[in-house]
Amino acid sequence: MTDRPDRPGPAGPPDAEGPLRVALLGCGTVGSEVARLLTESAADLGARIGRPVELAGIAVRRLNRERPGIDPALLTTDAQGLVEREDIDLVVEVIGGIEPARTLILAALNRGAAVVTANKALLAEDGSSLFTAAERAGTDLYFEAAVAGAIPIIRPLRESLVGDEITTVMGIVNGTTNFILDRMHTEGVGFSETLTLAQELGYAEADPTADVEGFDAAAKAAILASLAFHTRVRAEDVHREGITEVTRADIATAEAMGSVIKLVAICTLTDEPEPRVSVRVHPAMIPSSHPLAAVGGAYNAVFVESRSAGRLMFYGPGAGGSPTASAVMGDLVTVARNRVRGASGPGESSYARRQVAPIGDVVTSYHVSLSVADVTGVLASVAHCFAEHGVSLQTVRQEGTGGTPAVTTAEVHESGGSARLVIVTHAARDADLSATVEQLRCLPEVHEVISVMRVEGA
Amino acid sequence: MTDRPDRPGPAGPPDAEGPLRVALLGCGTVGSEVARLLTESAADLGARIGRPVELAGIAVRRLNRERPGIDPALLTTDAQGLVEREDIDLVVEVIGGIEPARTLILAALNRGAAVVTANKALLAEDGSSLFTAAERAGTDLYFEAAVAGAIPIIRPLRESLVGDEITTVMGIVNGTTNFILDRMHTEGVGFSETLTLAQELGYAEADPTADVEGFDAAAKAAILASLAFHTRVRAEDVHREGITEVTRADIATAEAMGSVIKLVAICTLTDEPEPRVSVRVHPAMIPSSHPLAAVGGAYNAVFVESRSAGRLMFYGPGAGGSPTASAVMGDLVTVARNRVRGASGPGESSYARRQVAPIGDVVTSYHVSLSVADVTGVLASVAHCFAEHGVSLQTVRQEGTGGTPAVTTAEVHESGGSARLVIVTHAARDADLSATVEQLRCLPEVHEVISVMRVEGA
């Protein structure tokens, strides 16, 4: 290591003789893998960057943990001191959460260091502060690892498709919920049992709220929508429903419809009545023929539709130390190359300043399952209720207690007792569908609204 | 338009007041779409770049063709004069072929203009000259459209995965052959008839050689391998077999094996006995369960496997004016942004200088279909022939004239007359497999070697 004088300016090229120095914030699953790769692949990384790269320090919470393969001399509990070291060129943040990550990243950017982060929560809550700081300092903020693990999706949206007009981004971006829903399908068990299994297998956290309530997916959706539509979308702008209320009955119904239930993040651009974006995360029925339906286990996939490119899909491991580290390392080499050339990559592009449409204005179709009185006229009442709200029906199906085979006809057998009506609507405003369901709950002929789920990708 | 003085240096920032000026070389299917997008989306493009962008000239072969929506004042037949114009910042080359494209691109790069090209043939034949010129001038050479149309695959390999070690790239990168093979599967017709249909539908050129003989896919494979393995691979280094000899019988056999036949480009990294790469294009049997098997029609898909990221797949439209224009436009915005910042993106990374392994050293498994004398001892002779070359057998199956159901056993019924043996080998050196097949042709018990095909993705 050589001492370096004060750098000439925030984005100026580093000392041409010395290595680029990396500070790592966090040394958990992802961080320890990044540390390993930085050490073991140092020769290749240096050749790809055009300058040697060196792990110069690692900020951790506790010094006394066992960390195989990591030089204890690199460890410090003083993260703030580490990011403020004048000799640090690149900062990798894999702590997660809002604070202290934000303060540390801002400190690094403000003094001109480039930052690579996997922090979806922070980017979705306060990305604009970070982008502004990076822009002002003429340095880089890269975050490929923040969405969909190893799948290159940030760079394709930020660069490859930047000359096109993206109309839809729809993805399975949370591996935990995908694992749980997948198991519920294959094993026929309920949500709670499957969650317990996912926790035992390490696919779900002890506190699973961020995953199962859709917070994690919503943060990713906000990031994807911001990039795709050149506008600022924050996590709080995302309509969010988790999977805790998905029942075995929902899964069975989906299967009967030739569909699967997935937690999807959907970002769309609408032209009518004005250019707006809608961003939402919720469970949805996806036809088995749709490419996203086949995405199993902890895998992620993102489907992108644009005016010129058409329909694209990106698929791969959505989480885990090693895949996430791959994304971090790709960013690290990119920002290091930029630094060697005294350059920086793309900044925030939010010029379009589009409104975020409320969920009520989103146009989608619904699957509604009702327990009704099996009497003459019930179908007419139910159909009238949909019609009153301007929602047209695509199929109505009656299911008997013994699992009557599906018929896609509006003619439903009515003979007394209790029957089950399964309805799929045409696309309609979400608010109209919700109002319909509210009114259905009040109809005397409707014993119960068993399930209500959006249908996507049909 | 404002007149611009001589630029301060090749990679210096352009006149801060004026627009970035684009020269378009070629105005066919892709070029006319690029021209349309540059005009119609000018406001968005300017906002994304941070500077207005302007189509300043279009080089065409004939001035008197009908070109709806294109200002005739932009057209010129003097391509060389256009790229040498001092006010041109960015050159988009969509002529294709080696010359005059190479001379024009070099002229543009040499005077510091950035170049976006879709020219796979040129990149695969002489990419190093272009990269060297770009590097020397400190400017950009981008080529996302050269491989797999709209699918972002160049940027993921060049940047997203640059911190990882890629071990395999396997792709369906030629839409014409995929369309033909797909049709042969679904319609049960032969190659020639399907080629004629593909030509009528516009999926194949009047001279289909580049597609059906695998030249197009080989050029793309060379580009993918160069990026993935940080080494120079040229089209001539690629082992290439086309689809003209794929028969209806091959297709039927593949179906009986639960497989489909695809023309695949396969790039692999081997460690033994030394680090080498192998790059090949040939028809192969792919199990129906493999993600590439489901890629139909003119779609493309690229499957990437790396040490840290694991298995990734990229899928989308592989050709066509509009998708290819999307890729060109993404590059155009990226290089324009770089230019506004006085920066440039990644150059060539060929430091690894890996040897290209000859096809004989490639390890793969084979499907071999033989017409043999139906006499006692024939299986022993055939099996002995494989064993002599060190090739072990995975399954041997006998097919009767009436289409006997498949049995996966080495015990084959032998009773006189003629029988068909269908053999799948374990992975072995390609040279050993070829030698085995040569010897099989000489065995008196073997009436005919009906088909020989590699099995991939099993």
Side-chain angles (χ1 to χ4, degrees):
Chain A
M1 284 212 270
T2 55
D3 284 325
R4 297 181 60 219
D6 284 347
R7 301 182 42 244
D15 176 0
E17 301 303 314
L20 288 166
R21 292 196 182 82
V22 179
L24 178 59
L25 310 181
C27 199
T29 322
V30 178
S32 56
E33 188 62 15
V34 169
R36 186 183 72 75
L37 291 168
L38 265 170
T39 312
E40 290 179 11
S41 310
D44 273 318
L45 296 170
R48 293 173 193 182
I49 293 166
R51 185 78 46 87
V53 66
E54 181 184 283
L55 180 55
I58 307 174
V60 294
R61 262 190 299 188
R62 285 184 302 276
L63 289 175
N64 55 353
R65 247 177 83 181
E66 190 77 24
R67 302 179 199 276
I70 288 177
D71 178 0
L74 294 175
L75 301 176
T76 173
T77 53
D78 180 13
Q80 187 70 31
L82 181 60
V83 298
E84 282 172 358
R85 263 172 61 178
E86 279 297 322
D87 64 331
I88 297 293
D89 301 287
L90 314 167
V91 173
V92 174
E93 184 273 308
V94 286
I95 305 172
I98 307 301
E99 286 295 350
R102 173 167 46 195
T103 302
L104 295 169
I105 290 175
L106 286 173
L109 292 172
N110 286 338
R111 58 160 206 86
V115 170
V116 173
T117 176
N119 196 327
K120 66 220 97 177
L122 176 56
L123 286 163
E125 164 136 340
D126 195 18
S128 60
S129 300
L130 309 187
F131 289 117
T132 304
E135 190 74 29
R136 205 162 38 210
T139 190
D140 275 331
L141 173 66
Y142 272 60
F143 48 98
E144 186 64 72
V147 182
I151 307 172
I153 184 63
I154 301 300
R155 225 175 239 92
L157 292 180
R158 216 179 180 192
E159 301 186 41
S160 310
L161 290 161
V162 72
D164 203 339
E165 188 176 10
I166 295 170
T167 52
T168 303
V169 179
M170 176 157 123
I172 294 172
V173 293
N174 180 274
T176 305
T177 49
N178 202 50
F179 174 86
I180 291 172
L181 292 171
D182 213 29
R183 279 282 174 143
M184 287 174 71
H185 271 282
T186 54
E187 309 293 321
V189 289
F191 170 76
S192 309
E193 286 163 79
T194 317
L195 173 61
T196 306
L197 174 71
Q199 286 169 321
E200 282 165 13
L201 293 174
Y203 286 113
E205 309 271 343
D207 176 359
T209 313
D211 293 317
V212 300
E213 295 290 3
F215 289 100
D216 172 83
K220 292 166 177 169
I223 295 169
L224 293 174
S226 301
L227 297 175
F229 306 134
H230 300 273
T231 200
R232 277 185 193 159
V233 178
R234 298 178 57 187
E236 64 186 40
D237 300 322
V238 181
H239 174 80
R240 179 188 50 76
E241 298 169 31
I243 65 162
T244 53
E245 287 172 29
V246 176
T247 63
R248 268 187 291 187
D250 291 329
I251 302 273
T253 305
E255 276 173 8
M257 302 278 298
S259 297
V260 292
I261 295 177
K262 296 286 188 189
L263 183 74
V264 284
I266 306 180
C267 319
T268 54
L269 184 68
T270 55
D271 285 333
E272 300 295 338
E274 67 203 293
R276 291 194 296 183
V277 300
S278 86
V279 193
R280 51 202 164 100
V281 166
H282 53 70
M285 286 192 186
I286 310 279
S288 301
S289 58
H290 192 281
L292 288 182
V295 176
Y299 272 78
N300 278 194
V302 183
F303 194 80
V304 178
E305 194 155 0
S306 73
R307 303 250 191 250
S308 294
R311 308 174 91 194
L312 303 169
M313 197 168 95
F314 305 79
Y315 171 86
S322 192
T324 307
S326 168
V328 166
M329 296 302 294
D331 278 355
L332 196 123
V333 171
T334 303
V335 302
R337 277 175 176 171
N338 285 346
R339 203 154 185 90
V340 167
R341 290 164 176 254
S344 59
E348 185 182 25
S349 175
S350 59
Y351 74 93
R353 295 173 197 282
R354 291 191 170 98
Q355 291 271 316
V356 177
I359 185 70
D361 283 358
V362 170
V363 171
T364 182
S365 76
Y366 257 93
H367 175 281
V368 179
S369 179
L370 304 173
S371 171
V372 296
D374 200 359
V375 294
T376 306
V378 65
L379 177 62
S381 303
V382 167
H384 178 73
C385 183
F386 279 93
E388 255 192 325
H389 293 92
V391 179
S392 82
L393 303 184
Q394 187 181 324
T395 63
V396 178
R397 192 177 70 171
Q398 183 185 36
E399 284 180 358
T401 42
T404 317
V407 287
T408 52
T409 163
E411 214 51 61
V412 175
H413 175 68
E414 297 165 23
S415 64
S418 187
R420 188 164 175 180
L421 279 187
V422 176
I423 295 157
V424 179
T425 73
H426 283 292
R429 280 183 69 243
D430 206 276
D432 297 334
L433 285 153
S434 298
T436 307
V437 171
E438 279 318 296
Q439 195 182 325
L440 286 172
R441 286 190 212 278
C442 302
L443 282 188
E445 303 93 321
V446 173
H447 296 162
E448 191 193 349
V449 176
I450 300 167
S451 85
V452 178
M453 191 155 305
R454 294 183 188 84
V455 179
E456 301 289 346
Chain B
M1 284 209 272
T2 53
D3 286 324
R4 296 181 60 219
D6 284 347
R7 298 181 45 243
D15 175 1
E17 301 304 314
L20 288 166
R21 292 195 181 83
V22 179
L24 178 59
L25 310 180
C27 198
T29 322
V30 178
S32 57
E33 188 62 16
V34 169
R36 187 183 73 75
L37 291 169
L38 265 171
T39 312
E40 291 180 9
S41 309
D44 273 319
L45 296 170
R48 293 174 193 183
I49 292 165
R51 186 78 47 88
V53 65
E54 179 184 283
L55 181 54
I58 307 175
V60 293
R61 264 189 298 188
R62 286 184 302 277
L63 289 175
N64 56 353
R65 247 178 84 182
E66 190 78 25
R67 301 179 200 277
I70 288 177
D71 179 1
L74 294 175
L75 302 176
T76 174
T77 55
D78 179 15
Q80 187 71 30
L82 181 59
V83 297
E84 282 172 359
R85 264 173 60 178
E86 278 296 324
D87 64 333
I88 297 293
D89 302 287
L90 314 166
V91 173
V92 174
E93 184 273 308
V94 285
I95 306 171
I98 306 302
E99 286 295 350
R102 173 167 45 196
T103 302
L104 296 170
I105 290 175
L106 286 173
L109 293 172
N110 286 338
R111 54 158 211 86
V115 171
V116 174
T117 176
N119 196 327
K120 65 219 97 179
L122 176 56
L123 286 163
E125 165 137 339
D126 195 17
S128 61
S129 299
L130 309 187
F131 289 118
T132 305
E135 190 73 28
R136 205 163 38 212
T139 189
D140 275 331
L141 173 66
Y142 273 60
F143 48 98
E144 185 63 75
V147 182
I151 307 171
I153 183 63
I154 300 300
R155 224 175 239 92
L157 292 179
R158 216 180 181 191
E159 301 185 42
S160 310
L161 290 161
V162 72
D164 203 339
E165 188 176 12
I166 295 169
T167 52
T168 303
V169 180
M170 176 157 122
I172 294 171
V173 293
N174 180 273
T176 305
T177 49
N178 202 49
F179 174 85
I180 291 172
L181 292 171
D182 213 27
R183 279 281 173 146
M184 287 174 72
H185 270 282
T186 53
E187 309 292 322
V189 289
F191 170 75
S192 308
E193 287 163 79
T194 316
L195 172 60
T196 306
L197 173 72
Q199 287 170 321
E200 283 166 12
L201 293 175
Y203 286 112
E205 309 271 343
D207 176 359
T209 313
D211 292 316
V212 300
E213 296 290 3
F215 288 101
D216 173 81
K220 292 166 178 169
I223 295 169
L224 293 174
S226 300
L227 297 175
F229 306 134
H230 300 273
T231 200
R232 277 186 193 158
V233 178
R234 298 178 56 188
E236 65 186 38
D237 299 323
V238 181
H239 175 81
R240 178 188 52 74
E241 298 169 31
I243 64 162
T244 55
E245 287 172 26
V246 176
T247 63
R248 267 188 291 186
D250 291 329
I251 302 274
T253 305
E255 277 174 9
M257 302 278 297
S259 296
V260 292
I261 295 178
K262 296 286 186 188
L263 183 74
V264 284
I266 306 180
C267 319
T268 54
L269 184 69
T270 55
D271 284 333
E272 300 296 332
E274 66 204 293
R276 291 195 298 183
V277 300
S278 86
V279 194
R280 50 202 165 101
V281 166
H282 54 69
M285 286 191 187
I286 310 279
S288 302
S289 58
H290 193 281
L292 288 182
V295 176
Y299 272 77
N300 279 194
V302 182
F303 194 79
V304 179
E305 195 157 357
S306 73
R307 303 249 191 252
S308 294
R311 308 174 91 195
L312 303 168
M313 196 167 94
F314 304 79
Y315 170 88
S322 192
T324 308
S326 168
V328 166
M329 296 303 293
D331 279 355
L332 196 123
V333 171
T334 303
V335 302
R337 277 176 177 169
N338 285 346
R339 204 155 185 88
V340 167
R341 290 165 177 253
S344 59
E348 186 182 25
S349 175
S350 59
Y351 74 93
R353 295 174 196 281
R354 291 192 169 97
Q355 290 271 316
V356 178
I359 185 70
D361 283 357
V362 170
V363 171
T364 181
S365 77
Y366 258 92
H367 175 279
V368 180
S369 179
L370 305 172
S371 172
V372 296
D374 199 358
V375 294
T376 307
V378 65
L379 177 62
S381 304
V382 168
H384 179 71
C385 183
F386 279 93
E388 254 191 325
H389 293 91
V391 179
S392 82
L393 304 184
Q394 187 181 324
T395 62
V396 178
R397 192 177 68 170
Q398 183 185 36
E399 285 181 358
T401 44
T404 317
V407 287
T408 53
T409 163
E411 215 51 62
V412 175
H413 175 68
E414 299 166 21
S415 62
S418 186
R420 188 164 176 180
L421 280 187
V422 176
I423 295 157
V424 178
T425 73
H426 283 291
R429 281 184 68 244
D430 206 276
D432 297 334
L433 285 153
S434 298
T436 307
V437 171
E438 280 319 296
Q439 194 183 323
L440 285 172
R441 287 190 211 277
C442 302
L443 283 188
E445 302 93 321
V446 174
H447 297 160
E448 191 193 350
V449 176
I450 300 167
S451 84
V452 177
M453 190 156 306
R454 293 184 188 85
V455 179
E456 301 289 346

